Amino acid sequence: MRVAFFLLLGKAAGAFKEMAVAYRYGVGDAVDAYQFTMTMANWLPVTIVGALSVVLIPVLVRTRREGRTSRARFLGELQGWVIAAGTVLAVVLYVAWPWLLDIAGQGLPADARRMSAELTLAFAPAALFTLMTGISAARLRAHERHINTLLDSIPAVVILVWVMLAATVTDVGPLLWGTLVGYFIQSVWLLWLAARADGMWGRPRLSFQSHQWPDLVKAAGVMLVGQVAMSFVGPIDQYTAANLGGNANSTLGYASRLLALLLGVGAASVGRAALPVLADIHSRGDSARARSTALKWSVLMLLVGAAVTFIGWLLAPWGVSLLFERGAFTAENTATVAHVLRWGLLQMPFYFGVLILVQLLASQNRYRIMAAIAVANFILKAVMNQVLAPVMGPAGIMLATSMMYALSYVCYVMVALRPAPPAATSS
């Protein structure tokens, strides 16, 4: 419930930010550029954080029972390698962006491509800040402290303020500076909170002396395969939308962010809170209880998701109008975004239901199975994008996502119904 409350506040800040962007920019090249750049630039750091967090939290939970010296050495090495990897990633991202624009952004208008190149001045450093934020958030979640969920809204709040205070919005300057400053503040604040939770800062060092590394690297490598596959979903959607033309990127972006508001408040709250709890139960040898708890919650979340989908389908035009229809965002834009949003809502029951099962398998260290399911999801998504998008436009992209999550839920239920091997480590 704490996580849900924090998510509600954070998502509300995100919704207000989207209202401000819609009011000042409408549906146009600047929003196309921002949506494209945000998705393409964030996909790799978010993928790394996603894979590392899933395998790192159980390790950090077990590490709490070790001595202070051992914990400090591991946290310091973790911080050191994350900062080094983030710095390299930021430089590579900035240097490679013109090449990426030529390949993935060729369907964007010339102005949108120029604005996207400018936005990398913010999103390249944000890659480093994202990795630092992810590690700090994992440290907090290992202590079952979820304030990081609330602080996820900091970039949105800063962008909101910058966009609304800007004298003019003829370019992407307000979005650029709001993004850069917001990600920086978030990373520093979370680092401070994580240090307080652990009782130590973890002075960065580049070494692999801690005994946790062999198992962590092995598990992270397996998990990264699945995360990389799933991480391509966002870029594929942006590539597909960019080639549809007609501001499909911005239309898909508005619908996706409104959908993320609904997904985050209910489902992500349970998912984020569940992993440290299930990992603790499993580490104490009570795997049957962890499995039973996860399956019951999964069915409950599936039913909740179905109810939200039904209500959301009815209220989609009203919700889009309430949030976005003002300034440069017209009634015609509302109808288009609402249509796309409705097809995206079909994913909610399966997304809600699968989240808790993902945490169950992660707590059991069944990373190979998780990676295999992720690859299957990606293949289905990539195929259905090509089949549905030319026929349905952005709505087809959303329907393909819904089909992907339906497959994911079926696979996870089948795996979860089988008890985990007693000594499962990475299967």
Side-chain angles (χ1 to χ4, degrees):
M1 292 301 296
R2 285 199 308 270
V3 180
F5 177 70
F6 289 154
L7 271 168
L8 181 61
L9 295 178
K11 294 298 182 180
F16 283 123
K17 184 263 285 187
E18 296 304 329
M19 292 167 64
V21 172
Y23 174 71
R24 298 303 300 271
Y25 286 98
V27 176
D29 289 343
V31 180
D32 272 355
Y34 178 71
Q35 178 66 24
F36 176 84
T37 310
M38 179 175 64
T39 302
M40 301 299 285
N42 279 346
W43 81 266
L44 186 54
V46 169
T47 298
I48 295 172
V49 168
L52 192 56
S53 295
V54 171
V55 300
L56 180 60
I57 290 174
V59 172
L60 292 174
V61 170
R62 294 192 296 268
T63 304
R64 292 185 311 188
R65 303 185 179 95
E66 299 182 4
R68 181 179 178 85
T69 302
S70 175
R71 290 170 54 219
R73 181 172 60 248
F74 175 63
L75 290 176
E77 292 172 349
L78 184 65
Q79 294 276 57
W81 285 111
V82 165
I83 293 173
T87 302
V88 171
L89 181 59
V91 173
V92 170
L93 186 64
Y94 182 79
V95 172
W97 197 256
W99 172 77
L100 189 147
L101 270 176
D102 288 339
I103 296 177
Q106 56 185 324
L108 293 172
D111 282 344
R113 288 163 58 88
R114 174 184 57 80
M115 293 176 184
S116 178
E118 294 175 7
L119 283 168
T120 56
L121 293 173
F123 280 104
L128 168 61
F129 301 145
T130 297
L131 294 188
M132 294 176 61
T133 295
I135 296 303
S136 299
R139 292 169 62 181
L140 287 166
R141 289 172 61 192
H143 291 277
E144 297 183 35
R145 300 184 185 182
H146 301 287
I147 187 64
N148 65 286
T149 302
L150 177 61
L151 298 187
D152 283 347
S153 64
I154 289 178
V157 171
V158 178
I159 293 171
L160 165 65
V161 173
W162 223 290
V163 167
M164 292 307 296
L165 293 182
T168 60
V169 289
T170 55
D171 58 16
V172 291
L175 295 171
L176 188 159
W177 286 106
T179 298
L180 181 60
V181 174
Y183 275 96
F184 174 76
I185 294 174
Q186 181 191 27
S187 66
V188 172
W189 199 342
L190 275 175
L191 178 60
W192 176 68
L193 290 173
R196 288 185 58 189
D198 284 319
M200 62 189 71
W201 282 95
R203 183 173 58 85
R205 62 180 73 181
L206 294 177
S207 63
F208 287 104
Q209 297 179 3
S210 297
H211 68 87
Q212 293 93 340
W213 282 112
D215 289 340
L216 179 61
V217 171
K218 180 180 178 181
V222 174
M223 192 64 193
L224 190 61
V225 173
Q227 287 293 120
V228 167
M230 288 299 295
S231 73
F232 274 109
V233 168
I236 282 179
D237 284 352
Q238 290 303 306
Y239 174 78
T240 305
N243 286 293
L244 291 175
N247 297 126
N249 281 87
S250 52
T251 299
L252 182 67
Y254 282 121
S256 297
R257 290 192 286 275
L258 186 54
L259 185 62
L261 174 64
L262 299 174
L263 292 173
V265 172
S269 60
V270 175
R272 292 188 182 191
L275 180 54
V277 175
L278 293 174
D280 188 49
I281 295 174
H282 191 71
S283 67
R284 296 175 188 273
D286 198 356
S287 57
R289 179 187 168 202
R291 175 170 162 266
S292 174
T293 301
L295 286 169
K296 289 176 182 178
W297 270 96
S298 176
V299 173
L300 177 62
M301 294 298 288
L302 181 73
L303 296 175
V304 171
V308 173
T309 298
F310 177 75
I311 297 172
W313 188 282
L314 297 177
L315 299 180
W318 175 82
V320 174
S321 175
L322 177 66
L323 289 177
F324 301 136
E325 194 177 315
R326 56 186 58 82
F329 198 99
T330 66
E332 182 181 353
N333 298 144
T334 293
T336 303
V337 172
H339 173 69
V340 175
L341 175 63
R342 279 175 163 166
W343 288 101
L345 287 169
L346 297 178
Q347 72 185 261
M348 295 193 70
F350 309 110
Y351 182 90
F352 274 43
V354 80
L355 261 179
I356 194 74
L357 298 179
V358 169
Q359 312 309 318
L360 172 66
L361 267 64
S363 70
Q364 298 171 340
N365 297 340
R366 301 171 79 175
Y367 302 122
R368 290 180 183 172
I369 295 177
M370 296 172 68
I373 295 174
V375 172
N377 290 342
F378 166 73
I379 293 173
L380 177 66
K381 170 65 175 174
V383 172
M384 297 314 299
N385 260 24
Q386 298 303 312
V387 172
L388 297 174
V391 179
M392 301 175 61
I397 298 174
M398 282 294 197
L399 179 56
T401 302
S402 301
M403 296 174 67
M404 177 189 73
Y405 279 114
L407 173 65
S408 180
Y409 182 73
V410 171
C411 292
Y412 270 99
V413 168
M414 292 175 62
V415 174
L417 288 173
R418 294 186 302 155
T425 56
S426 59
S427 61

